[in-house]
Amino acid sequence: MNGQISINGHGDVIKGEPWFEDGNILLVTKEIPTGYRVHQGVLSRHSEIFSHMLEMPQPTHSADLFEGCQIITLYDLPGELANLILALYDGPTFLNRNIGDFFYLAGILRLASKYFIAHLRRQAIQFLGITWPSTLEGHDVMIEAALTVRPVDNLTYPFVHPLHVLNLANEVDAPILIPSAIYFLSIYPLVDFIKGDHPKLLVEHPSRPSASLLSSDLLSYSLMYQHRLQLMDDFMHQFCKQHGSKPACGVSTACEKGFSRLVTQLQRIWNLKSGPLHFIAQAMQKVSSCSICSKCCSKFVHDCGDLRQRIWDELPMLLNLPTWQEMSRS
């Protein structure tokens, strides 16, 4: 809705959308003064903060009213507040088509956390958890999408930098998102995001989370980076070697050579940005082409599955966080 209105004490205010003519509350943002005329009952029903705020004695002086509506000044970004209000009335539209969808969600999650709007906060965190998952199965789906989804605006899936996700999770106290965010952040060399010139960090938007790495997160990043490289080294030179030296079939020579060939193949695809979970999954696919008997292949694939699950389960503990199950219940 276009146009301006004049409000005592606020001067000229942009008439924002939504604007309900029968609304009885006027929310006005301090920065870029914008007004939203809404219904007290809707705000009180969904938000503990608004409910308590609106329980206070109502103003009677005309300077504190606009067409009979109580005026409430908020220190929020107009775009974020508008999206929050529309989400309260119509429900949110969470998608992952481009980086703009992340910024839309970030704004709603930020204000839903600030104003104690539990259902919107829960929905936003659950949607983020599809891309930054708390399960190994979710991780595998995310990796498959990253390998197959085409770039959008020259940004690869999942379009947003994990540093933005990490800082948003810290900002709104959503620890369940942190292990995945730091795991994927550890794939980036430290110099990349210290310089801050990665294309995903350069996208400007009012709702963009901080692009700076907290000192406490620097330690977590360093631990994850070293852990990630150590896992792959141990996998190639201990896990695979052990399966070759002690084959399930009991016939050492042929299968031992086969596992040596597997390690050689893995060394060719290994690089500093390899993630151990996907790397081990690749080994599970390659083992059958290395002249290893079916019994040894089956044992290797089974043990790899157990190893991947164990690695996943231990990620939160590496960062001194509660278990995945404990965080999902909080």
Side-chain angles (χ1 to χ4, degrees):
M1 183 175 295
N2 297 322
Q4 290 185 332
I5 52 177
S6 181
I7 301 177
N8 291 336
H10 295 272
D12 289 336
V13 174
I14 299 170
K15 200 172 184 181
E17 176 64 33
W19 181 280
F20 299 101
E21 293 297 339
D22 63 344
N24 54 0
I25 293 289
L26 185 64
L27 305 180
V28 179
T29 58
K30 188 70 173 177
E31 184 179 351
I32 314 177
T34 307
Y36 303 93
R37 188 167 179 171
V38 295
H39 301 91
Q40 176 178 337
V42 173
L43 298 183
S44 298
R45 178 183 180 186
H46 295 293
S47 166
E48 292 182 35
I49 299 297
F50 280 123
S51 178
H52 294 318
M53 188 185 302
L54 296 172
E55 286 175 357
M56 299 174 64
Q58 302 299 304
T60 57
H61 196 280
S62 60
D64 298 320
L65 299 171
F66 173 80
E67 296 183 355
C69 296
Q70 180 185 359
I71 302 170
I72 297 179
T73 302
L74 300 176
Y75 295 83
D76 302 313
L77 295 173
E80 290 189 353
L81 183 59
N83 287 336
L84 178 77
I85 296 169
L86 289 170
L88 287 177
Y89 278 89
D90 304 329
T93 304
F94 295 140
L95 301 168
N96 193 18
R97 303 163 301 179
N98 51 49
I99 196 169
D101 286 338
F102 170 77
F103 293 141
Y104 164 81
L105 182 149
I108 288 181
L109 177 54
R110 187 177 288 121
L111 294 192
S113 299
K114 176 181 178 180
Y115 294 117
F116 288 25
I117 305 174
H119 75 285
L120 284 183
R121 171 181 162 86
R122 182 174 59 253
Q123 289 176 48
I125 292 174
Q126 287 176 345
F127 188 86
L128 277 177
I130 296 173
T131 308
W132 310 91
S134 59
T135 66
L136 179 58
E137 293 78 11
H139 166 85
D140 291 342
V141 171
M142 189 274 202
I143 290 296
E144 180 63 24
L147 295 173
T148 57
V149 174
R150 293 182 178 180
V152 176
D153 298 326
N154 295 318
L155 301 178
T156 56
Y157 186 91
F159 312 122
V160 60
H161 198 286
L163 183 54
H164 284 154
V165 179
L166 174 61
N167 283 329
L168 178 63
N170 286 328
E171 182 182 349
V172 302
D173 190 24
I176 198 167
L177 302 171
I178 290 176
S180 284
I182 291 184
Y183 177 83
F184 286 106
L185 187 64
S186 76
I187 294 173
Y188 293 79
L190 181 61
V191 67
D192 279 10
F193 50 87
I194 287 182
K195 288 164 59 178
D197 58 358
H198 191 282
K200 293 180 180 179
L201 295 177
L202 297 176
V203 179
E204 295 290 341
H205 193 280
S207 297
R208 187 185 72 177
S210 170
S212 299
L213 187 66
L214 298 175
S215 57
S216 56
D217 289 329
L218 176 59
L219 175 60
S220 296
Y221 163 85
S222 301
L223 287 171
M224 187 68 76
Y225 189 93
Q226 181 61 39
H227 182 64
R228 180 175 60 84
L229 297 182
Q230 189 64 58
L231 284 171
M232 288 187 291
D233 187 74
D234 290 346
F235 176 71
M236 286 189 291
H237 300 113
Q238 295 183 26
F239 187 89
C240 293
K241 182 178 180 180
Q242 182 179 18
H243 277 76
S245 61
K246 298 179 180 179
C249 64
V251 181
S252 63
T253 304
C255 290
E256 184 175 4
K257 290 181 179 179
F259 279 108
S260 294
R261 282 190 289 271
L262 175 63
V263 170
T264 299
Q265 290 185 24
L266 294 175
Q267 288 172 332
R268 291 185 186 135
I269 64 173
W270 178 91
N271 62 68
L272 286 174
K273 292 187 175 182
S274 297
L277 294 165
H278 179 59
F279 189 73
I280 296 171
Q282 288 178 296
M284 294 166 70
Q285 295 174 346
K286 289 179 176 295
V287 66
S288 60
S289 64
C290 293
S291 301
I292 299 171
C293 75
S294 60
K295 186 173 183 178
C296 286
C297 282
S298 296
K299 180 68 162 59
F300 178 78
V301 169
H302 177 271
D303 290 350
C304 281
D306 288 345
L307 176 61
R308 294 180 79 242
Q309 189 63 59
R310 185 164 66 253
I311 290 171
W312 183 261
D313 291 342
E314 292 174 352
L315 286 183
M317 289 177 279
L318 177 71
L319 305 174
N320 291 319
L321 290 171
T323 65
W324 291 115
Q325 292 76 14
E326 290 170 328
M327 288 191 289
S328 67
R329 290 195 294 266
S330 64

